[in-house]
Amino acid sequence: MGDAVELEVGGRTVRLSSPDKVFFPERGFTKLDLARYYLAVGPGILRALRDRPTTLERYPEGVGGENFFQKRAPKNMPDWIPTAHITFPSGRSADEMCPTEVGAVVWAAQFGTLTFHPWPVRRDDVDHPDELRIDLDPQPGTDYDDAARAAHELRAVLDEFGGLRGFPKTSGGRGLHVFVPIEPRWTFTQVRRAAIAVGREMERRMPERVTIKWWKEERGERIFIDYNQTARDRTIASAYSVRPRPHAPVSAPLRWEEVGVAHPQDFDLATMPARFAELGDVHADMDDHRYSLESLLDLARRDEHDHGLGDLPYPPEYPKMPGEPRRVQPSRAKKDS
């Protein structure tokens, strides 16, 4: 696998063992290629991860091997990488790593971390999200272009309800993510409620193209707005994260004029460094903004008062939540009735 190498990263020395270990056989990318990628996009991924409790998606033997999600900070983590204490819906808790410098990202890459999954909170306030994250998830029969069309309508919805500015990025797969920086003064439950309001408004505007139906049997060939990605302990791959697919795609931040023009296959471990060198982080000013959710929460209240549209089901591993409807798929509910 070759002798270990040492990389200088912002004043830190990070040791990389087995640098020639192939992580992406289809492309021939090695562990060293992965580490150098994260060095090349360092300011961008650090902007996405800074001070956020972060789950590591690890593939120690590369994309063809076993993988796992590491929520708890590794015992061998250097003392210069801080942590935050977070609580899961089950009531259990853990200390998660919170990158504050690029060296932490490269250190994680040494242990086979391909994708970084940050919480939408900062370590100084882990109960109040500072991002509203909208996940546009193509269902069977739809594709990225359908998600892009929905994203442009989403942009209009966000602007109409509070003058919110969304920052779009590819998921690294077929979907799109739109992140909105918000004031950290609402709970996870309230932020999720705002995401549901967005989804319902999108359904009204694009009923044949967009759905917020939780049960797959009801979604049809539409883009699913996964509102539960805003629930506590649900995370979305960060901008610039490498995704565990054979061609080594990355989650690419986009300018709005690129949505529907650029495609996910344009961005991978080989091409993103050149784009970053030319354009820098196209979401670099994201942290300069903080928006209010009041208009969306007002919309949620009107939906409930005027149309009886209350809460929606949580994921199956969550405890029953106050106000949540019966958590059973419609076809089974009919059989039981």
Side-chain angles (χ1 to χ4, degrees), residues 48-55 71 85-89 92-94 96-98 116-123 125-131 133 179 188 231-236 238 318:
L49 299 178
R50 189 189 303 275
D51 285 321
R52 298 190 183 280
T54 300
T55 296
K71 294 187 175 184
H85 193 73
I86 47 90
T87 302
F88 304 117
R92 293 179 297 174
S93 62
E96 286 202 352
M97 72 176 292
C98 298
F116 295 83
H117 296 266
W119 282 48
V121 300
R122 309 280 181 167
R123 62 189 171 109
D125 185 356
V126 296
D127 292 317
H128 295 91
D130 67 349
E131 287 180 348
R133 298 173 173 180
F179 286 9
F188 277 93
R232 179 184 287 271
D233 192 34
R234 295 296 282 257
T235 57
I236 293 177
S238 78
Y318 280 63

Side-chain angles (χ1 to χ4, degrees), residues 6 92 101 105 115 145 179 218 303 311:
E6 292 185 340
R92 293 179 297 174
E101 50 189 284
V105 179
T115 307
D145 290 332
F179 286 9
E218 294 187 305
D303 279 343
D311 203 356

Side-chain angles (χ1 to χ4, degrees), residues 196-236:
I196 291 173
V198 169
R200 285 179 168 145
E201 182 64 21
M202 289 287 290
E203 274 189 329
R204 285 189 281 266
R205 297 184 183 205
M206 306 179 74
E208 302 303 318
R209 293 184 177 273
V210 169
T211 183
I212 200 171
K213 299 292 187 184
W214 176 246
W215 303 106
K216 291 182 179 180
E217 64 187 35
E218 294 187 305
R219 293 178 192 171
E221 295 184 0
R222 291 179 287 184
I223 298 298
F224 172 50
I225 296 182
D226 189 355
Y227 61 89
N228 268 329
Q229 290 290 44
T230 53
R232 179 184 287 271
D233 192 34
R234 295 296 282 257
T235 57
I236 293 177

Side-chain angles (χ1 to χ4, degrees), residues 301-324:
R301 286 188 282 269
R302 291 197 301 273
D303 279 343
E304 185 161 18
H305 181 270
D306 298 342
H307 306 292
L309 299 174
D311 203 356
L312 291 172
Y314 274 78
E317 70 273 17
Y318 280 63
K320 182 70 174 179
M321 301 296 286
E324 181 188 1

Side-chain angles (χ1 to χ4, degrees), residues 83-213:
T83 62
H85 193 73
I86 47 90
T87 302
F88 304 117
S90 64
R92 293 179 297 174
S93 62
D95 293 321
E96 286 202 352
M97 72 176 292
C98 298
T100 56
E101 50 189 284
V102 179
V105 179
V106 177
W107 177 85
Q110 145 66 14
F111 295 98
T113 301
L114 301 186
T115 307
F116 295 83
H117 296 266
W119 282 48
V121 300
R122 309 280 181 167
R123 62 189 171 109
D124 60 351
D125 185 356
V126 296
D127 292 317
H128 295 91
D130 67 349
E131 287 180 348
L132 169 66
R133 298 173 173 180
I134 308 296
D135 181 9
L136 301 173
D137 184 10
Q139 299 303 290
T142 65
D143 58 19
Y144 175 83
D145 290 332
D146 296 302
R149 280 189 287 271
H152 284 292
E153 187 62 41
L154 171 62
R155 184 186 188 188
V157 169
L158 293 173
D159 183 63
E160 183 174 334
F161 291 92
L164 310 181
R165 177 185 170 189
F167 291 75
K169 69 182 185 70
T170 66
S171 67
R174 300 191 308 138
L176 272 166
H177 303 147
V178 178
F179 286 9
V180 180
I182 60 174
E183 300 166 10
R185 59 189 180 96
W186 292 278
T187 64
F188 277 93
T189 301
Q190 290 171 311
V191 174
R192 179 178 173 275
R193 190 75 171 125
I196 291 173
V198 169
R200 285 179 168 145
E201 182 64 21
M202 289 287 290
E203 274 189 329
R204 285 189 281 266
R205 297 184 183 205
M206 306 179 74
E208 302 303 318
R209 293 184 177 273
V210 169
T211 183
I212 200 171
K213 299 292 187 184

